Amino acid sequence: MYKILANTVFLGKDIHFLTECHSTNDMAMEKIKNGELTEGSIVITEVQTRGKGQRGNIWWSVPYKNLTFSLVLKPYFLKPSEQFELSIAIALAVVETLSDYFSGVRVKWPNDVLHEVYGKLGGILIENIINQKGIEYSIIGIGLNINQKMSDLPFSTSFMDLTGKEWDKAEIFEILVQKIEKNYLLLKKGQKNVLRALYLSQLYRFGKEADYFDERPFKGKIVGIGSDGRLIIEKTDGSLNHYAFKEVRYL
Amino acid sequence: MKAKEIQELIDFISNSGLAEVKIETDEFKLSIKKHAEAPAVRVESLATPVAAPVSANPAPEVPSTPAPAATAPVKEDVSKYVEIKSPMIGTFYRTPNPDSDPFVGVGDTISAGQPVCIIEAMKLFNEIESEVSGKIVKVLVDNATPVEYDQPLFLVDPAG
């Protein structure tokens, strides 16, 4: 079903299709350690029984309905402290792909993908292996809600919900992988500022006054992303506040 | 930061295996270095940005008298040990998942290339591989707490 991709340079030339697995990220990690994967390899499954969300959370996906896969990169050209640039490049590729199908797609910092009215369309989980030389491997896990009806879950949606019809997952997969490769190669060529500018242009709530919570509720607007990936929110008193992941909530 | 908090921090550091600690926030810069006799403490206030509102950053209180010298007696020769340091700022986790066992514990023998912890930064999860082989002598950071760049995480006895 997921054939080796023809229109890419290196990404998706080696596809490991699993009929069922716990988590494509965990499988990719295991296969890397067994020497079975290299840069550009992809692990994809139709039935992910225990997909990984952020630490301890599970990514639920109905079998055969959605895209759940992990790809392997070796971003040795990034210092560990620069790794947020990779998060930007990937999230942007997902938003760009989905925006070919419908409007209103945004990236919610750091890397959730959502429809600004109907809610979450997908998630990204990046796991790196770091050794003394730097980032040895990066495993990029992506889950996208395609043909699953998400009506039971609050603020979640899918291609099906937004368009009322079924979509060819393999086609979406191919376009997405091409866009990821394009952004990754841009990053490799040192074009991080181009990617950052595009990311900000697609950022959910960017520049708009909205409600947030740090230690208390407040009004503010997102004005940027720090070099370390921190979210910068300007409060109504004019102060600039930098937040790490989980230090601020959107209300 | 209050004088009392600085004192507590010094006590904490003197009782830990850390030789030097640097903390930097928007409000202050704190640098503590542990010598055999007494710690040198330096607190410097950062220039407040002109545009910042009056109430935003209360000036840090600097203790008027030097903090009590923490005399941490060195019980064993730690010079033979090597440190595994954090390659980045983030949150330190000792386990691959919240419900799994720690990667390593005190007394475990590790080999170079073996994963020893996870550091999370902005939702990127980094499995850190040890550069050295040896025996874990001490875990220097608590699970799920923030770490700085270059902060020592583990003490390893390479001869162990």
Side-chain angles (χ1 to χ4, degrees):
Chain A
M1 176 178 176
Y2 298 100
K3 56 185 190 298
I4 291 171
L5 300 185
N7 299 322
T8 55
V9 181
F10 72 97
L11 200 52
K13 300 294 183 191
D14 171 42
I15 295 186
H16 297 243
F17 177 77
L18 306 170
T19 48
E20 179 178 331
C21 80
H22 279 70
S23 142
T24 54
N25 264 38
D26 284 352
M27 280 310 298
M29 183 70 90
E30 197 180 310
K31 283 174 177 288
I32 284 173
K33 289 182 177 174
N34 291 337
E36 294 174 53
L37 304 184
T38 182
E39 181 161 65
S41 295
I42 293 179
V43 176
I44 186 163
T45 188
E46 285 288 284
V47 183
Q48 184 169 242
T49 53
R50 206 180 157 82
K52 262 168 121 170
Q54 46 167 297
R55 201 173 163 80
N57 290 1
I58 290 173
W59 180 264
W60 295 108
S61 182
V62 170
Y64 308 105
K65 294 288 187 187
N66 303 313
L67 272 176
T68 46
F69 65 98
S70 299
L71 49 94
V72 176
L73 299 172
K74 288 176 74 82
Y76 59 87
F77 52 91
L78 288 176
K79 291 192 212 96
S81 60
E82 295 173 322
Q83 59 180 263
F84 197 73
E85 308 302 336
L86 185 63
S87 195
I88 285 176
I90 304 294
L92 180 63
V94 178
V95 172
E96 286 172 337
T97 302
L98 270 50
S99 295
D100 283 353
Y101 293 86
F102 30 78
S103 60
V105 184
R106 293 286 180 268
V107 55
K108 183 183 170 200
W109 177 85
N111 59 12
D112 272 345
V113 176
L114 51 73
H115 185 283
E116 58 189 350
V117 178
Y118 300 105
K120 190 154 168 160
L121 276 158
I124 299 168
L125 180 72
I126 302 182
E127 295 183 281
N128 299 320
I129 299 176
I130 309 274
N131 64 18
Q132 73 271 28
K133 282 179 263 158
I135 307 175
E136 191 187 15
Y137 284 100
S138 199
I139 301 168
I140 317 286
I142 297 177
L144 286 182
N145 304 331
I146 311 286
N147 294 322
Q148 179 182 352
K149 290 196 168 119
M150 306 299 293
S151 41
D152 297 346
L153 289 166
F155 204 56
S156 291
T157 191
S158 66
F159 277 56
M160 170 71 123
D161 288 341
L162 289 169
T163 63
K165 61 170 189 164
E166 289 223 356
W167 288 88
D168 177 2
K169 290 180 294 168
E171 179 201 287
I172 298 166
F173 171 73
E174 260 186 59
I175 296 172
L176 175 56
V177 171
Q178 285 173 38
K179 289 198 193 285
I180 289 173
E181 183 180 84
K182 183 198 71 175
N183 284 358
Y184 182 70
L185 293 176
L186 274 175
L187 184 60
K188 200 170 181 174
K189 281 183 199 149
Q191 299 292 311
K192 68 172 187 185
N193 291 335
V194 172
L195 294 165
R196 277 183 166 257
L198 288 167
Y199 175 92
L200 287 182
S201 75
Q202 303 297 321
L203 189 62
Y204 177 61
R205 285 189 175 182
F206 181 67
K208 292 177 187 152
E209 190 172 283
D211 293 305
Y212 297 93
F213 186 96
D214 46 17
E215 282 156 334
R216 54 189 71 84
F218 69 93
K219 276 193 195 303
K221 63 179 178 192
I222 296 170
V223 294
I225 305 289
S227 59
D228 55 1
R230 275 170 216 256
L231 185 69
I232 307 172
I233 300 181
E234 184 182 327
K235 294 191 179 182
T236 45
D237 63 8
S239 62
L240 293 180
N241 301 268
H242 294 239
Y243 296 101
F245 183 53
K246 288 197 167 159
E247 285 178 355
V248 64
R249 278 197 292 127
Y250 290 47
L251 299 178
Chain B
M1 195 173 212
K2 302 231 162 52
K4 186 163 175 294
E5 290 173 330
I6 295 174
Q7 280 188 19
E8 284 171 4
L9 193 64
I10 293 165
D11 286 346
F12 174 77
I13 290 159
S14 63
N15 290 324
S16 77
L18 305 176
E20 187 175 357
V21 173
K22 284 182 183 146
I23 299 170
E24 192 171 340
T25 75
D26 290 344
E27 296 170 23
F28 65 89
K29 227 186 214 174
L30 181 64
S31 163
I32 301 177
K33 208 173 205 168
K34 197 159 83 184
H35 296 299
E37 61 282 9
V41 181
R42 201 158 58 88
V43 180
E44 49 179 86
S45 180
L46 295 187
T48 314
V50 188
V54 188
S55 64
N57 298 326
E61 281 177 44
V62 181
S64 52
T65 51
T71 49
V74 181
K75 286 185 190 123
E76 56 179 330
D77 178 19
V78 295
S79 61
K80 62 183 189 212
Y81 299 149
V82 290
E83 293 166 336
I84 300 175
K85 292 177 177 178
S86 177
M88 66 188 69
I89 297 171
T91 305
F92 171 83
Y93 292 105
R94 290 189 58 193
T95 63
N97 294 297
D99 50 359
S100 46
D101 292 332
F103 285 102
V104 292
V106 171
D108 288 357
T109 302
I110 58 163
S111 49
Q114 187 176 330
V116 291
C117 64
I118 282 176
I119 294 178
E120 178 270 327
M122 307 303 145
K123 215 181 140 188
L124 287 103
F125 294 85
N126 297 280
E127 197 175 283
I128 311 300
E129 294 183 346
S130 174
E131 293 170 35
V132 293
S133 301
K135 191 186 262 182
I136 302 276
V137 177
K138 199 167 186 180
V139 182
L140 302 169
V141 182
D142 288 336
N143 186 48
T145 55
V147 290
E148 291 297 315
Y149 174 74
D150 233 19
Q151 181 175 336
L153 306 172
F154 298 92
L155 262 190
V156 178
D157 181 355

